C-alpha cells in the first residue's frame, strides 16, 4: 500500500541494558570508548528486527557535552566530568565506524542531538552561535552517512540553526522535533508546533521524537501543512520528570512504561501511519522487539519497508 521507512529504536537505553552498568552522564559516549563493539551489536540487532535506517550513536557528541568542569550542564557537585572536547572528531569517527556493519542493510542516518541539553530550549545557544557548532558535527558525519537527522529539536530558533547547518553539507536534512507530552502541538519551548512549519517545509522530512506516544497524533496534524514526508518515533518513558528536564540527572532516573510493550507501541505506530506518517520507529526505551513488531504489523497491512 505505502512505502514506509522504519527507523531503529533507542540506542542509549539498549546500551544500558546490554552493558549491565548504571547510566552516567556520558553513558552512550563512554560506550564508544569502552565497548564500541556493543554499539555495533545494537545496530545489528535493530537491522535484524527490520529497521531500514541505522541511526549513528552520535546524538550526544557536541563540544558543550564533552567539555569538562562546571560549564558542562551535566556536571554537578558529585559528578565531575572529564574534558573530552578535543576528542570530538575521534568520537564521531568511532560512531560512524560502529555503524559500518549495517552499511549494506539500509541507510545510515547521522544523528545530531540538541545543543545545551535535551528538552531545554532555554539552554540552547542563539542561532548565530549554534549554526557553526551544528555544522562542525554535520560536516564530519556527512561523507559517511546517507542523511542527517537532527533530533529532539526544542524550539523554532533551534530548528532554523539545524536546517542552516545541515544545508551546508549537501546531504538530505531531516528535522525531528520534541513536543510537550500532554500538548503534542506545542514544542518544549512552549511555542506552537505550527510556528515551525515554514522551517520544516524547507527540510527533506519533518518528524517528532522523544515525546509520549499519545502526543504524536496532534504533532503530526500540526506538521502536515509542511508538505514534506513526515513521521514520528516516540519514547516509552514512564514520565519525563521535572528533575530530568531541569538537568543534572541521567537516564538512570527514568523508567520504562509497563504499558508500552511492543504490541501496544505498534498500535500507536500504525495509527500514525494511518495519519500519513511514512517514517516511523522508536526512541528511548524502545528496543529491537518493538521494531520487530512494527515491521511485522507494517508488512501484514501490506506496506513495504524501504
Amino acid at each position: 500500500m505505502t512505502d514506509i521507512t522504519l527507523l531503529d529504536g533507542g540506542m542509549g537505553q539498549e546500551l544500558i541494558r546490554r552493558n549491565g552498568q548504571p547510566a552516567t552522564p556520558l553513558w552512550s559516549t563512554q560506550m564508544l570508548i569502552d565497548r564500541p563493539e556493543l554499539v555495533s551489536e545494537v545496530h545489528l540487532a535493530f537491522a535484524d528486527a527490520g529497521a531500514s535506517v541505522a541511526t549513528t550513536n552520535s546524538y550526544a557528541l557536541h563540544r558543550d557535552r564533552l567539555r569538562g568542569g562546571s560549564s558542562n550542564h551535566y556536571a554537578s557537585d558529585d559528578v565531575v566530568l572529564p574534558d573530552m572536547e578535543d576528542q570530538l572528531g575521534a568520537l564521531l569517527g568511532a560512531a560512524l565506524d560502529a555503524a559500518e556493519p549495517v552499511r549494506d542493510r539500509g541507510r545510515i542516518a547521522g544523528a545530531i542531538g540538541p545543543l545545551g541539553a535535551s528538552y531545554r530550549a532555554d539552554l540552547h545557544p542563539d542561532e548565530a552561535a549554534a549554526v557553526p557548532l551544528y555544522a562542525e558535527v554535520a560536516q564530519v558525519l556527512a561523507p559517511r552517512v546517507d542523511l542527517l537527522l537532527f533530533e529532539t529539536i526544542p524550539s523554532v530558533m533551534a530548528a532554523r540553526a539545524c536546517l542552516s547547518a545541515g544545508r551546508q553539507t549537501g546531504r538530505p536534512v531531516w528535522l525531528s522535533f520534541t513536543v510537550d507530552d500532554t500538548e503534542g502541538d506545542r514544542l518544549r519551548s512552549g511555542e506552537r508546533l505550527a510556528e515551525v512549519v515554514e522551517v520544516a517545509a524547507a527540510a527533506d522530512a519533518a518528524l517528532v521524537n522523544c515525546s509520549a506516544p499519545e502526543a504524536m497524533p496532534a504533532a503530526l496534524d500540526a506538521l502536515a501543512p509542511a508538505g514534506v514526508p513526515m513521521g514520528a518515533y516516540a519514547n516509552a518513558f514512564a514520565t519525563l520528570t521535572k528533575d530530568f528536564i531541569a538537568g543534572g540527572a541521567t537516564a538512570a532516573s527514568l523508567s520504562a512504561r509497563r504499558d508500552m510493550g511492543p504490541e501496544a507501541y505498534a498500535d500507536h505506530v500504525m495509527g500514525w501511519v494511518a495519519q500519513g506518517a511514512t517514517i516511523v520507529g522508536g526512541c528511548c526505551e524502545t528496543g529491537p522487539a518493538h521494531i520487530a513488531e512494527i515491521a511485522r504489523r507494517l508488512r501484514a497491512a501490506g506496506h513495504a519497508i524501504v
Side-chain angles (χ1 to χ4, degrees):
M1 292 175 62
T2 305
D3 288 345
I4 304 293
T5 295
L6 181 53
L7 303 173
D8 49 14
M11 171 65 75
Q13 299 301 113
E14 190 66 17
L15 285 171
I16 292 170
R17 279 191 287 271
R18 293 179 183 235
N19 188 48
Q21 299 296 320
T24 70
L26 292 173
W27 81 93
S28 60
T29 299
Q30 197 65 45
M31 289 299 96
L32 292 171
I33 299 169
D34 296 342
R35 298 192 64 188
E37 76 285 352
L38 189 60
V39 181
S40 293
E41 178 184 303
V42 174
H43 281 309
L44 286 164
F46 281 124
D48 289 343
S52 59
V53 175
T55 308
T56 58
N57 182 31
S58 50
Y59 176 92
L61 297 182
H62 281 302
R63 288 190 176 277
D64 59 357
R65 295 200 186 205
L66 297 174
R67 192 172 295 134
S70 59
S71 62
N72 189 318
H73 175 70
Y74 291 90
S76 64
D77 292 340
D78 57 348
V79 176
V80 178
L81 298 178
D83 190 345
M84 301 170 63
E85 188 176 354
D86 63 347
Q87 298 181 49
L88 175 61
L91 289 166
L92 287 168
L96 290 162
D97 289 344
E100 278 301 311
V102 294
R103 165 62 64 185
D104 62 348
R105 305 283 294 274
R107 286 175 286 175
I108 294 180
I112 303 177
L115 293 164
S118 296
Y119 321 118
R120 294 290 301 274
D122 59 312
L123 295 177
H124 194 280
D126 64 35
E127 191 170 346
V131 171
L133 293 171
Y134 281 126
E136 179 183 20
V137 174
Q139 288 164 5
V140 174
L141 293 174
R144 296 178 61 186
V145 301
D146 299 290
L147 62 100
L148 295 170
L149 176 56
F150 290 87
E151 299 188 283
T152 323
I153 299 170
S155 69
V156 176
M157 184 269 289
R160 289 196 302 264
C162 291
L163 181 64
S164 177
R167 285 295 181 228
Q168 297 180 30
T169 69
R171 283 286 185 254
V173 175
W174 292 6
L175 300 180
S176 190
F177 307 95
T178 182
V179 297
D180 185 273
D181 291 308
T182 55
E183 295 184 73
D185 62 348
R186 193 179 291 277
L187 291 161
R188 298 283 184 186
S189 62
E191 298 163 296
R192 289 291 179 187
L193 193 55
E195 297 177 52
V196 85
V197 164
E198 184 177 353
V199 182
D204 296 286
L207 304 96
V208 188
N209 79 291
C210 215
S211 308
E214 292 84 355
M216 297 306 185
L220 290 170
D221 282 345
L223 279 181
V228 297
M230 68 176 186
Y233 53 116
N235 65 43
F237 286 140
T239 56
L240 282 175
T241 64
K242 291 182 179 180
D243 286 346
F244 185 81
I245 292 177
T250 73
S253 63
L254 297 170
S255 59
R257 288 175 60 168
R258 295 184 179 181
D259 65 340
M260 203 52 63
E263 294 80 10
Y265 185 78
D267 286 342
H268 286 280
V269 172
M270 296 308 291
W272 309 335
V273 171
Q275 277 187 265
T278 58
I279 306 168
V280 295
C283 203
C284 305
E285 293 290 6
T286 61
H290 291 79
I291 301 306
E293 178 62 14
I294 296 168
R296 186 190 71 78
R297 297 277 291 275
L298 288 171
R299 293 189 180 106
H303 301 297
I305 297 173
V306 298

